[in-house]
Amino acid sequence: IRALISYYGGPNYKLLEQEIQKTFSNWPTLNESFSNGRPVTLEDCGVALDQVREAYQILMELPVNIRANIIRAMMRSVESILKRPGRMLKRKEDIKFLMIILESQYHHQIVQRVFGLLSNLSNELHHFLVNWFARHSTDIFRKRVELVNLFISFRLSKQPMATVPGGPLAYESDWQINSAARVMALFFAANKQKKKIQISEFYNTRVDYISLIDDFNTWEQRSGKFTFCQYPFLVSMGGKTTIMEYDAKRQMETKAKEAILSFLFQKRAATPHLILKVRRDYLIEDSLSQISENEMELKKSLRIEFVGEVGVDGGGLRKEWFLLLVRHLFDPQFDSRLCWFNPASFESSDQFYLVGVVIGLAIYNSTILDVHFPLACYKKLLNVPVGLEDLKEFRPAFARGLEQLLTFEGDVESTFCRDFVGEYEVFDEIKRVPLKTNGQNIPVTNANRKEYVEKYVNFILNDSVAKQFDPFRRGFNHVCSGNALSLFQPEEIELLVRGSAEPLEIEQLRSVTIYEGFREDEATIIHFWAIFKAMDPMTQRKLLTFVTGTDRIPATGCANLSFKISYYGEDSERFPIAHTCFNQLFLYRYRTKRKLEEKLLRAITESEGFWLK
């Protein structure tokens, strides 16, 4: 293009305009114009994308009056070949021009036709596109995802709002939204292959304003109509949580109706709630036995009664039960402070079943747990393959050792002296398990080291813990078997269980806080928020743990966290206290800000755990 400008430059750019129009009117010519000279493969799209971007930039830097005509001519040509490519796009070489056009300055008509062509390519060509997209820089990749989301938002803004609940979805016949969603699926697959951006960057906030419940119900019917639940990466955590709560409530109501009908027609005592009566001194035993006795009732709304104590469970006792169970059941291992299944465990399968049920019940009853499982656990629950990258999270030193073995340039056999055997510790003794038939007699060499690493990783993450993980998964699935769960990615399930580690939005938390005995504008409350805001992030997390029992916030943010500050008396030398079961902080009306700060800091840094009788 620089050569054309130089050659045809001067007072008349008409010839330049004609040259560009001719090039962009024929996709084989366009492909050849920006070829990088290499064959088209999964790793290389055959297009010099840097030159494409530079060419577009040169055109954008032309004088305004000239640029407008040239860009208009180029857009007309591009739209023409997108409308009528001339023949079916079947070969990987055929679609190079689509990669070129995707780099252009975007116009709605161009974008919709590009998305239409991309979405209707064969699965084989989609495989190539996913690999090419995965090789974009993070910045370019993010811009492409933003483009698709902007287009979807634009199309949704043109749709009439649904007026009849359960009626036809306004967007279900919009081929442009359907095409854009399919294209986004390609970018999402590319991001899974090589992570470029966070899952949250795929969320389309405009989708949260449609009737997600109607969308979910249509999707469940498998009618073949377009729904956003087919492309759940477009639905935010808030939207998915809304669907899950609806699904959970629906199943709870079904169980409640069954209980009432059972009472009316069979004269059999029943309750619409699952009520667990447990003794504090026998928490695990009582919980396990009653869950086993009520397996078919786990989808009822959960209520807890502590034997010998007066109290009605309005949610606080349930949360306390979860918190106490987690403390009894989970013991973080490794330097990473994460929990994993012990292959040498002597606990019964019922114990692991109980853990799975507890995780499922927490999700089902919208309760955050202070559970430190690695992402691999949630991947396995959703049947997503796990590998070396997952092992790095909770056994980083061991994973690094395997990576070093893979990249070692010397003689592996004589240096590492390993055979095809996996190891784990049982009461200070090392147990050796062959990774393949006769593995103890097969040395690890340069030729077979990749197989060895794959088998060892599979041994740690799958085979060695199958006896523990299988009942755990069975317990989880027994509670969380609704269709709503399949909308989530493993990372999102982890967020549901543990909550978010995102920085605290103090002002957002302040806006949803409820006061009891205090006015929002009085000195003690003003001082409290000033102190909270001035704390370093770690101390803020400690305060959050002191009040709520966990340093995490709901996956949907602080705005959905219940937080209450209650009056406990006039100025005192006593420390603030908290009822973690209700996310409730009790403050005295301390005389000065300094005194409030001192008492609060000592309370959150020098106290630990529950002090229950």
Side-chain angles (χ1 to χ4, degrees):
I1 289 179
R2 280 201 179 98
L4 285 171
I5 291 174
S6 175
Y7 184 78
Y8 294 121
N12 192 344
Y13 280 80
K14 195 66 180 175
L15 291 177
L16 172 62
E17 180 181 327
Q18 291 171 359
E19 286 292 332
I20 288 177
Q21 188 168 356
K22 184 171 70 174
T23 300
F24 280 84
S25 294
N26 182 278
W27 61 261
T29 304
L30 186 58
N31 283 348
E32 190 60 34
S33 297
F34 290 103
S35 173
N36 60 15
R38 296 189 293 270
V40 178
T41 65
L42 281 173
E43 291 73 32
D44 193 333
C45 65
V47 177
L49 292 174
D50 287 342
Q51 291 184 22
V52 175
R53 291 164 195 146
E54 185 180 0
Y56 286 134
Q57 187 60 38
I58 292 170
L59 292 179
M60 295 306 295
E61 290 173 355
L62 291 172
V64 175
N65 58 325
I66 297 167
R67 181 179 69 215
N69 291 332
I70 290 175
I71 295 298
R72 193 179 300 114
M74 184 176 69
M75 291 296 104
R76 279 199 303 267
S77 301
V78 167
E79 188 171 6
S80 174
I81 61 172
L82 291 174
K83 277 183 179 179
R84 292 177 290 276
R87 61 182 171 86
M88 293 287 290
L89 305 176
K90 295 182 177 180
R91 302 180 308 127
K92 57 185 181 296
E93 290 80 11
D94 294 346
I95 59 174
K96 290 164 59 177
F97 79 102
L98 294 175
M99 296 292 287
I100 294 169
I101 294 173
L102 268 178
E103 298 293 332
S104 68
Q105 299 295 318
Y106 307 111
H107 182 273
H108 177 264
Q109 294 297 327
I110 301 297
V111 170
Q112 73 177 21
R113 296 195 183 281
V114 171
F115 289 171
L117 285 176
L118 287 174
S119 66
N120 285 294
L121 295 173
S122 67
N123 289 337
E124 181 186 359
L125 292 183
H126 279 168
H127 183 53
F128 278 92
L129 286 169
V130 167
N131 279 270
W132 297 344
F133 291 159
R135 282 159 177 76
H136 280 328
S137 69
T138 298
D139 184 54
I140 295 295
F141 189 90
R142 179 176 284 112
K143 286 179 179 177
R144 299 294 174 270
V145 170
E146 289 172 352
L147 168 69
V148 183
N149 262 331
L150 282 170
F151 181 81
I152 291 172
S153 296
F154 173 75
R155 292 301 309 170
L156 281 175
S157 70
K158 298 295 182 182
Q159 303 295 329
M161 297 300 291
T163 55
V164 181
L169 304 174
Y171 49 80
E172 66 184 23
S173 58
D174 190 318
W175 70 265
Q176 297 175 58
I177 292 179
N178 196 340
S179 295
R182 289 183 188 177
V183 172
M184 188 68 98
L186 300 178
F187 281 103
F188 190 74
N191 198 59
K192 291 180 76 171
Q193 186 181 107
K194 187 178 291 186
K195 188 167 184 178
K196 301 286 184 181
I197 59 178
Q198 296 298 319
I199 290 176
S200 58
E201 296 189 57
F202 286 91
Y203 298 159
N204 186 301
T205 53
R206 186 67 182 77
V207 173
D208 284 351
Y209 292 93
I210 67 172
S211 176
L212 286 170
I213 303 306
D214 286 341
D215 189 278
F216 176 67
N217 287 331
T218 301
W219 172 69
E220 280 194 306
Q221 294 165 11
R222 302 294 190 265
S223 62
K225 298 175 181 177
F226 170 80
T227 63
F228 282 102
C229 285
Q230 292 173 276
Y231 304 93
F233 44 80
L234 292 170
V235 184
S236 72
M237 274 298 292
K240 290 193 187 82
T241 302
T242 297
I243 293 171
M244 171 159 274
E245 288 173 349
Y246 160 77
D247 194 34
K249 184 180 178 183
R250 183 175 61 177
Q251 293 184 55
M252 288 178 183
E253 287 173 349
T254 299
K255 286 295 180 182
K257 287 176 184 176
E258 288 175 0
I260 294 169
L261 290 173
S262 176
F263 175 74
L264 290 175
F265 294 105
Q266 299 178 25
K267 303 300 181 183
R268 190 174 64 191
T271 171
H273 306 293
L274 168 60
I275 301 175
L276 301 184
K277 299 179 180 181
V278 297
R279 296 166 293 176
R280 289 186 184 274
D281 292 339
Y282 299 92
L283 188 72
I284 300 293
E285 296 88 340
D286 288 357
S287 298
L288 179 56
S289 65
Q290 292 192 46
I291 283 174
S292 299
E293 292 167 5
N294 294 279
E295 272 195 295
M296 304 311 295
E297 310 295 315
L298 295 179
K299 291 190 176 181
K300 290 182 178 179
S301 180
L302 180 63
R303 297 286 185 271
I304 300 295
E305 291 181 11
F306 286 105
V307 175
E309 300 179 19
V310 178
V312 177
D313 189 3
L317 296 178
R318 181 179 65 203
K319 183 180 178 184
E320 183 180 353
W321 178 76
F322 275 121
L323 292 171
L324 291 173
L325 264 184
V326 165
R327 290 197 164 209
H328 280 80
L329 290 171
F330 297 98
D331 177 25
Q333 305 165 15
F334 315 113
D335 294 335
S336 59
R337 301 301 296 161
L338 292 169
C339 299
W340 189 243
F341 301 85
N342 180 5
S345 171
F346 285 101
E347 277 82 10
S348 68
S349 62
D350 288 344
Q351 290 254 16
F352 291 99
Y353 174 80
L354 172 61
V355 175
V357 168
V358 168
I359 300 295
L361 285 173
I363 292 176
Y364 207 62
N365 289 272
S366 304
T367 302
I368 294 174
L369 296 183
D370 190 23
V371 176
H372 299 262
F373 279 127
L375 183 61
C377 176
Y378 302 102
K379 284 186 173 183
K380 283 167 66 67
L381 283 173
L382 296 182
N383 297 313
V384 176
V386 289
L388 184 57
E389 286 298 315
D390 299 292
L391 189 62
K392 285 180 184 178
E393 186 182 3
F394 66 97
R395 294 189 64 178
F398 185 78
R400 280 196 301 272
L402 293 178
E403 285 186 326
Q404 288 168 4
L405 185 147
L406 285 173
T407 58
F408 186 67
E409 295 182 357
D411 183 62
V412 168
E413 183 176 357
S414 61
T415 304
F416 288 87
C417 302
R418 304 291 297 176
D419 47 28
F420 272 72
V421 171
E423 299 175 346
Y424 63 88
E425 190 174 308
V426 183
F427 292 108
D428 298 325
E429 291 185 7
I430 300 299
K431 181 169 182 178
R432 290 166 54 84
V433 179
L435 298 175
K436 60 190 296 188
T437 304
N438 199 34
Q440 67 274 16
N441 296 315
I442 302 175
V444 178
T445 66
N446 292 65
N448 65 17
R449 59 183 169 179
K450 184 177 179 183
E451 180 191 7
Y452 169 77
V453 169
E454 289 174 352
K455 286 188 176 297
Y456 210 130
V457 170
N458 183 66
F459 171 73
I460 294 174
L461 296 178
N462 296 314
D463 293 348
S464 68
V465 296
K467 184 180 175 183
Q468 294 77 26
F469 189 82
D470 288 348
F472 169 78
R473 176 170 25 213
R474 184 166 54 85
F476 178 83
N477 288 337
H478 189 80
V479 182
C480 290
S481 57
N483 289 327
L485 190 72
S486 65
L487 302 176
F488 291 82
Q489 292 293 309
E491 297 88 341
E492 295 171 320
I493 296 294
E494 182 181 24
L495 274 177
L496 279 180
V497 174
R498 290 192 63 196
S500 172
E502 290 291 312
L504 297 179
E505 296 287 346
I506 305 300
E507 288 302 321
Q508 193 177 59
L509 180 59
R510 184 176 185 174
S511 69
V512 297
T513 297
I514 297 171
Y515 302 97
E516 186 178 73
F518 283 117
R519 297 191 320 277
E520 187 177 356
D521 59 352
E522 69 174 275
T524 301
I525 297 303
I526 293 171
H527 291 160
F528 169 79
W529 290 111
I531 293 165
F532 197 176
K533 200 168 186 178
M535 290 175 175
D536 61 78
M538 185 175 293
T539 309
Q540 287 179 345
R541 292 285 175 184
K542 286 183 178 180
L543 176 53
L544 187 66
T545 303
F546 180 73
V547 179
T548 69
T550 176
D551 66 352
R552 299 285 185 116
I553 60 175
T556 49
C558 282
N560 292 288
L561 176 65
S562 169
F563 201 82
K564 188 174 186 179
I565 301 177
S566 298
Y567 171 77
Y568 209 48
E570 291 301 314
D571 184 47
S572 172
E573 295 306 313
R574 294 177 178 271
F575 295 106
I577 65 169
H579 285 178
T580 54
C581 307
F582 298 99
N583 296 352
Q584 188 173 16
L585 174 65
F586 289 86
L587 291 178
Y588 292 95
R589 193 172 272 124
Y590 294 108
R591 188 169 59 255
T592 65
K593 179 181 177 182
R594 181 177 178 180
K595 186 174 182 179
L596 169 60
E597 185 170 16
E598 288 175 354
K599 296 293 184 183
L600 191 60
L601 286 173
R602 284 197 64 187
I604 66 176
T605 57
E606 297 180 18
S607 66
E608 181 178 359
F610 294 89
W611 303 99
L612 300 168
K613 293 182 180 179

